[in-house]
Amino acid sequence: MASSKGNRVFVWIILILLFVGLIGFGATGLTGNATRLGTVGDKELEIQSYANALQSRIRALESQTGSAVSFAQAQQFGLDRAVLGQLVTERVLDAEAEALGLSVGDARVRDQVLAIPAFQGLNGSFDRDAYRDALSRNGLSVAEFEESLREGEARALLQTAVVGGVAAPDAHVEALVEFLMSRRDITWAPVTLGSARRPAADDGRPRVILPEILLDAEIPAPTEAEIEARYAAAPEAYTAPEIRQISYVWLRPEDVAEEIEIDDAQVRELYEQRISEYVQEERRLVERLIYPNAKTAETALARLEAGEASFEDLVEARGLSLEAVDLGDVAEADLDGAAETVFAAEAGDVVGPVETGLGPALFRVNAVLAAEEVPFEAVEDDLRAELAQARARREIERRSQEITDLLAGGAALEDLAERADMELGTIEWSEEVSDGIAAYAPFREAAAAAQEGGFPELLGFEDGGVFALRLDGVTPPQLRPLDEVRAQVIADVEAETRARLRSERAEALAAEIADGASFAAAGLAPQQAQNLTRRAFVEGTFPGFIREIFEMEEGETRAITGAGFAAVVRLDAVAPPAEDDAGVAAERQAIEERLGTGIAQDIYAAYASAVQARTEIRIDDTAVQAVHSSFR
């Protein structure tokens, strides 16, 4: 399903990956005169491109995990190989595009540069100094960067040429639509052990004899034999986990912070530094859609006002996303000539066209943020605590070297507690324990990995605290005595009995209804559920309920049971997807897009592999290791 839209998406993916790796991270500290990592055909693979891309992937992984990722961990995850493979593939396709004569003009490259928010000043116009400075910090010249954009556009053209016109097979689409959106009508009723008494039979037919109806509270107490049988049948349920006896020392920022005095002037200075957070002028949440000329912008606004298009439609027509046009919250000074018009608008208004440094633009005001002022006195305590915590973390960093030296010299944890003023404690730790110091993931990981006789190592927490631990002993998993877990065993036996009786009663009632009795005659309160699809959920049931319904034949009555649940269900009708349903149309479109995109990606990957197989690739392992060394 390649299209101009797919082309734009491909280009923006390239730009996003590139600029996440560039802006704000700084150079990776590479030294020396070597700039080439290798060659791919006639194209060079730059060292800086690999370093920036690898840096970007590591930062992205850190954002996902919420914790720092060392280069050694990145290598374990295979990030270095994935990044190098991606760059090689890109250069292979760059060489192929060049051989085919595919390229774009300077105007297109200029548009791409101007569209990148990181290169725009506060007034929304392009800032050439910021542009050059950002590239310089990352070891790139303007010419090199713009050539990379040109090559990215050429790759997008190549992709469009390779997968243009690829569409999902109709038979495949319809099969999935039929599977997901076919409908079922049911009559069902939950079954409990305390259901209402059934009316007497009046049709002369024999009645099914059901198990005695019991309320939950009347489940018979299990016999000693049943208790012992359950205990013997499921020992894993009553086995205590491995217990590790651990001693530890712990230095926390909050403990160190209590000893730190913060001068009032420092607190006031921090407040003044953050005055923009505490004293904010009136602001607006704004989106800006730029047009090449005033006439085009006016035509777009006319379509919007006539109800022919939404603002989202106008954004898509420009080949952009809402994220690309979002300015966030802005003050009047941020908008220059557009400020008066935008700040006179109400939330939800679209105003313009207004001339900006990038051309005429329409602005949508999403929210009006009133002016706000937080006085110093309201945040003084918080700022003082923050300064104390920051100084405490620095103090812990300073002490850490001393503590590490003591450990290297053979100091025991008890010595550290006395000489480094650390908290000494013990804990019987298992995977079930997560209180106190065990609430921290690094401690749990270290506790699980500790070996008896091992040397304590100083480790850190994300909050700046440090700790060391020693494994004093291990109690292996043990089956708890029956008397200790008797209450749990009894509860398990009663739950099994309750589930069995409920299931037996449901099966008997289902058989009676299948034989012609009504739900009411069986003592059940029937409910109707219609037009159920595989994506539906019936309130009061469990997740597997819908799956079992779609396994039934039309007219069938069945008992459906699950964890703590039982019901009698009759499948009344089976119907195909409703062709006049907007939901079915949306599902069909989504399926077409997913399948088409998947097929197109597979074709493009196969094409790239074929081109790569006939391209000479040379990688300098020494240069690769030099990049890796810069991360360590």
Side-chain angles (χ1 to χ4, degrees):
M1 297 183 63
S3 64
S4 60
K5 180 178 179 182
N7 184 15
R8 292 193 299 270
V9 170
F10 181 81
V11 172
W12 277 106
I13 289 174
I14 293 171
L15 290 174
I16 290 169
L17 289 174
L18 179 60
F19 285 105
V20 168
L22 288 177
I23 306 306
F25 291 157
T28 58
L30 298 176
T31 60
N33 297 321
T35 61
R36 193 172 70 178
L37 196 73
T39 57
V40 179
D42 294 332
K43 295 287 184 180
E44 291 189 351
L45 188 59
E46 303 293 335
I47 284 180
Q48 195 65 50
S49 297
Y50 176 57
N52 286 340
L54 188 54
Q55 179 102 303
S56 172
R57 289 290 291 273
I58 292 174
R59 294 296 177 88
L61 181 59
E62 289 176 336
S63 297
Q64 292 173 2
T65 61
S67 60
V69 175
S70 68
F71 185 69
Q73 291 173 315
Q75 285 187 300
Q76 289 177 352
F77 297 143
L79 288 189
D80 57 327
R81 297 186 296 276
V83 168
L84 183 58
Q86 176 186 345
L87 291 180
V88 167
T89 299
E90 288 180 359
R91 296 307 275 163
V92 165
L93 296 173
D94 289 340
E96 180 72 0
E98 183 177 275
L100 294 172
L102 296 176
S103 185
V104 296
D106 293 340
R108 181 58 183 163
V109 174
R110 174 183 178 276
D111 290 344
Q112 294 288 3
V113 172
L114 294 180
I116 296 170
F119 299 150
Q120 296 174 9
L122 291 178
N123 60 1
S125 61
F126 176 70
D127 188 331
R128 185 170 294 277
D129 291 336
Y131 176 47
R132 293 181 183 277
D133 184 55
L135 297 181
S136 177
R137 289 198 309 270
N138 291 276
L140 292 173
S141 68
V142 170
E144 289 170 337
F145 174 68
E146 292 179 357
E147 180 61 21
S148 71
L149 293 183
R150 194 185 309 276
E151 290 176 336
E153 287 282 340
R155 284 198 302 273
L157 291 175
L158 181 60
Q159 180 200 35
T160 301
V162 171
V163 300
V166 174
D170 290 341
H172 196 169
V173 172
E174 292 307 317
L176 287 175
V177 171
E178 172 67 28
F179 178 81
L180 292 173
M181 302 304 290
S182 61
R183 296 167 292 161
R184 301 292 189 270
D185 294 346
I186 64 170
T187 300
W188 73 285
V191 175
T192 67
L193 298 183
S195 295
R197 190 184 303 276
R198 292 188 301 160
D202 56 5
D203 55 6
R205 293 183 299 139
R207 310 300 284 181
V208 175
I209 304 300
L210 299 177
E212 181 181 2
I213 299 176
L214 300 171
L215 295 175
D216 286 354
E218 297 173 346
I219 293 295
T223 65
E224 188 63 25
E226 290 174 324
I227 294 172
E228 292 177 355
R230 167 67 188 184
Y231 178 74
E236 66 281 353
Y238 313 113
T239 297
E242 177 185 87
I243 303 296
R244 303 189 135 222
Q245 288 80 38
I246 290 175
S247 296
Y248 64 88
V249 286
W250 186 10
L251 189 58
R252 298 181 294 180
E254 53 265 38
D255 295 334
V256 177
E258 292 177 356
E259 308 167 2
I260 296 175
E261 293 288 338
I262 301 297
D263 187 81
D264 291 344
Q266 293 177 302
V267 182
R268 172 64 72 171
E269 181 181 359
L270 181 58
Y271 177 80
E272 294 299 333
Q273 289 175 0
R274 297 183 179 174
I275 194 67
S276 61
E277 298 178 19
Y278 301 126
V279 180
Q280 294 189 354
E281 58 186 307
E282 187 176 348
R283 304 173 74 84
R284 299 288 187 272
L285 289 178
V286 174
E287 293 164 327
R288 179 188 63 193
L289 184 56
I290 299 171
Y291 284 88
N293 54 64
K295 183 177 180 181
T296 307
E298 290 168 358
T299 301
L301 182 62
R303 291 185 62 213
L304 182 73
E305 293 175 341
E308 298 175 2
S310 65
F311 186 79
E312 288 77 5
D313 294 333
L314 299 182
V315 171
E316 184 176 356
R318 293 285 294 150
L320 301 171
S321 66
L322 289 176
E323 291 78 10
V325 301
D326 185 14
L327 297 183
D329 61 296
V330 296
E332 287 190 73
D334 298 329
L335 294 174
D336 288 342
E340 182 177 353
T341 302
V342 171
F343 273 73
E346 300 293 332
D349 289 350
V350 177
V351 296
V354 180
E355 194 63 38
T356 72
L358 297 175
L362 300 181
F363 290 84
R364 179 164 71 172
V365 179
N366 291 315
V368 174
L369 306 179
E372 182 179 353
E373 180 174 353
V374 180
F376 172 72
E377 293 72 19
V379 295
E380 180 180 3
D381 291 343
D382 291 339
L383 294 177
R384 188 181 303 276
E386 181 181 336
L387 287 170
Q389 286 277 334
R391 191 177 297 178
R393 287 192 290 271
R394 291 195 296 272
E395 175 64 16
I396 290 174
E397 289 179 8
R398 187 191 65 80
R399 294 191 200 176
S400 293
Q401 185 58 53
E402 175 189 345
I403 298 169
T404 300
D405 291 342
L406 289 172
L407 286 171
L413 298 185
E414 291 75 9
D415 298 327
L416 292 182
E418 181 178 348
R419 299 171 63 178
D421 198 21
M422 300 181 76
E423 175 187 335
L424 176 66
T426 60
I427 185 173
E428 291 197 343
W429 181 82
S430 71
E431 292 183 353
E432 298 176 353
V433 176
S434 59
D435 298 328
I437 193 172
Y440 292 85
F443 178 86
R444 295 195 300 271
E445 293 170 3
Q451 300 292 324
E452 287 189 78
F455 292 100
E457 176 185 1
L458 189 67
L459 302 171
F461 294 128
E462 291 181 7
D463 64 1
V466 294
F467 73 98
L469 61 79
R470 179 183 67 223
L471 180 62
D472 298 325
V474 177
T475 302
Q478 293 181 352
L479 180 64
R480 295 183 173 102
L482 176 57
D483 288 344
E484 183 180 323
V485 294
R486 180 174 292 275
Q488 181 183 347
V489 177
I490 291 173
D492 291 343
V493 173
E494 290 179 345
E496 289 178 349
T497 301
R498 189 176 295 110
R500 176 177 55 78
L501 293 176
R502 188 186 296 116
S503 178
E504 289 174 354
R505 183 159 189 256
E507 293 286 354
L509 290 171
E512 185 173 348
I513 292 172
D515 194 38
S518 67
F519 278 78
L524 298 174
Q527 303 178 40
Q528 304 290 325
Q530 298 179 330
N531 293 321
L532 299 176
T533 69
R534 292 181 189 271
R535 298 190 186 280
F537 179 76
V538 178
E539 188 70 29
T541 67
F542 70 109
F545 183 76
I546 291 294
R547 184 183 64 252
E548 291 211 32
I549 286 173
F550 276 82
E551 294 174 355
M552 296 172 63
E553 300 291 335
E554 188 171 6
E556 179 185 352
T557 300
R558 177 184 295 188
I560 296 179
T561 59
F565 173 85
V568 175
V569 182
R570 183 179 65 211
L571 181 57
D572 298 324
V574 174
E579 293 301 327
D580 58 347
D581 186 348
V584 174
E587 187 67 40
R588 177 178 283 106
Q589 181 178 358
I591 290 172
E592 288 175 346
E593 291 177 355
R594 287 197 301 270
L595 286 178
T597 299
I599 294 171
Q601 289 174 344
D602 290 344
I603 292 174
Y604 194 60
Y607 172 76
S609 296
V611 174
Q612 185 166 328
R614 54 181 168 81
T615 302
E616 183 179 14
I617 299 170
R618 296 180 180 272
I619 301 298
D620 185 345
D621 290 334
T622 302
V624 172
Q625 293 306 316
V627 174
H628 292 177
S629 297
S630 71
F631 281 85
R632 296 190 176 97

